Amino acid sequence: MQSLIFLVVFGADLDLAKSSYTQLSPEPYQPFIDKLDLKQFYSLSIPKSYLYCTEDTALPQGEWGCHPRMSGRLGLFRLVQMPGGHEVMFSNPIGLAEKIIVAGRD
């Protein structure tokens, strides 16, 4: 039920929140605690982009949020921002698709 409330608060009307909620599934915990050696990934010389939804509060905004703490690990990257929250794929799929195209250019 928290996800349904989350969707309503962050950009979805009640009908969209209900239909989105039926498509969500629990996220496994193990990936959060597994240690991965990503040094080789971070050192790749391929272009990198980071899509930042400015209203995403799944993690606290600022120093401990996804951006810049996690995005900064990419080294040189293109920052693509858009309004929206953590479930923007439901609340604004067209806008998200357009930003993914921007992130993938070059």
Side-chain angles (χ1 to χ4, degrees):
M1 188 54 127
Q2 284 181 322
S3 293
L4 181 59
I5 294 166
F6 180 80
L7 285 166
V8 171
V9 171
F10 293 99
D13 61 28
L14 186 58
D15 289 338
L16 177 58
K18 284 180 179 179
S19 69
S20 301
Y21 184 76
T22 63
Q23 299 176 60
L24 297 175
S25 61
E27 194 168 338
Y29 185 67
Q30 195 63 41
F32 288 107
I33 59 175
D34 283 347
K35 297 223 181 238
L36 298 174
D37 181 0
L38 295 174
K39 290 178 193 146
Q40 187 174 9
F41 170 77
Y42 292 131
S43 68
L44 292 173
S45 61
I46 59 172
K48 301 172 185 97
S49 294
Y50 188 87
L51 179 56
Y52 178 55
C53 293
T54 56
E55 283 81 41
D56 187 350
T57 57
L59 291 176
Q61 295 283 335
E63 180 181 355
W64 295 104
C66 291
H67 175 70
R69 183 175 60 99
M70 292 183 184
S71 61
R73 298 177 189 172
L74 295 173
L76 183 62
F77 66 94
R78 172 184 294 124
L79 176 63
V80 178
Q81 297 185 80
M82 70 176 289
H86 196 67
E87 303 296 347
V88 74
M89 70 284 292
F90 295 113
S91 61
N92 187 1
I94 293 171
L96 176 60
E98 291 169 348
K99 293 299 183 175
I100 290 172
I101 291 169
V102 171
R105 71 176 193 266
D106 304 339

